Amino acid sequence: MVEIIKEPWPWYIAGPLIGLTVPALLILGNKSFGISSSLRHICAACIPSNISFFKYDWKKELWNLFFVFGIFLGGMISSQFLMNPEEISVNQNLKTELATYGITDYSNLVPTQLMNFAALFTLKGFIMMVVGGFLVGFGTRYAGGCTSGHAIMGISNLQWPSLIATLCFMAGGFLMANVILPIILSL
C-alpha cells in the first residue's frame, strides 16, 4: 500500500479526487474551496488593525485554516516518509534544454540551482523568488482568488469570472514557460 502512495497517481484518479472536494465542501457546509483566502484569515486573526479588508468574522472561516494546515501537514509527512528516493523523472528533451541554462540537479522537486538561499542574492534568483512571489500574490488578489479557487471551485459553479480568470492563468503560464522563463534563466 505504501508503494502505491509513493508513486504519482494518474490523472484519471487524482483529477476526480480533487474534483470531488467541491461537492463535498458544498454538502458539508456550503463552503468554497480556495487556498489564498487562508492568508487573509491569518492576517485578520493575527494582526488586529483598523484595515477594513481585515475587519470581518474570520472565526467563521476557521475550517479553511484547518484545511490549509492539513495540506501543509500532509506535505510535510509525505516529504519525510513517502518521498521516492529516485531522481525526479523529467523528459529528456526538457533536460537537454535546461542543461543549457545550467540546471542539471533533479534530486529535489525544484532544481537547487534555482531555489536556494544563495541564489536569492543573484539577479536571476531575485526575479524568480521575490518578483515572482510578489506577482503571484498580486495576481491572486487582483483576480479575487487563486488557481484552485477559480479553476476548481469557480468553474464547477459555472461562475463566468472564474472562467475568465482561469483562461488568464493558463495564458500567463504558457507565456511565462515559453517566452519569459527562458529569458530569466539566461541571465
Side-chain angles (χ1 to χ4, degrees), residues 94 97-98 101 169-186:
L94 181 59
E97 183 181 347
L98 290 175
Y101 300 115
F169 294 149
M170 295 300 294
F174 290 132
L175 178 70
M176 179 65 191
N178 294 299
V179 178
I180 300 171
L181 185 61
I183 294 169
I184 294 171
L185 291 177
S186 63

Side-chain angles (χ1 to χ4, degrees), residues 6-45:
K6 283 186 175 184
E7 295 298 317
W9 290 6
W11 66 267
Y12 53 84
I13 293 176
L17 286 175
I18 292 169
L20 286 173
T21 60
V22 172
L25 285 170
L26 289 173
I27 291 169
L28 291 174
N30 200 24
K31 304 293 184 187
S32 293
F33 179 73
I35 304 302
S36 62
S37 58
S38 61
L39 180 59
R40 179 182 183 204
H41 305 323
I42 291 170
C43 289

Side-chain angles (χ1 to χ4, degrees), residues 92-109:
Q92 191 58 44
N93 294 336
L94 181 59
K95 276 187 176 183
T96 304
E97 183 181 347
L98 290 175
T100 63
Y101 300 115
I103 299 170
T104 56
D105 182 8
Y106 302 101
S107 59
N108 291 316
L109 291 175

Side-chain angles (χ1 to χ4, degrees), residues 142-155:
Y142 186 73
C146 59
T147 52
S148 60
H150 282 299
I152 297 171
M153 189 74 184
I155 290 178

Side-chain angles (χ1 to χ4, degrees), residues 36 126-147 168-169 172 175-176 180-181 184:
S36 62
F126 184 81
I127 291 171
M128 296 283 287
M129 290 183 258
V130 176
V131 175
F134 172 78
L135 289 174
V136 167
F138 175 79
T140 300
R141 180 68 190 115
Y142 186 73
C146 59
T147 52
C168 290
F169 294 149
L175 178 70
M176 179 65 191
I180 300 171
L181 185 61
I184 294 171

Side-chain angles (χ1 to χ4, degrees), residues 143 150 154-155 158-169:
H150 282 299
I155 290 178
L158 303 176
Q159 294 179 3
W160 180 249
S162 290
L163 177 62
I164 294 170
T166 302
L167 291 173
C168 290
F169 294 149

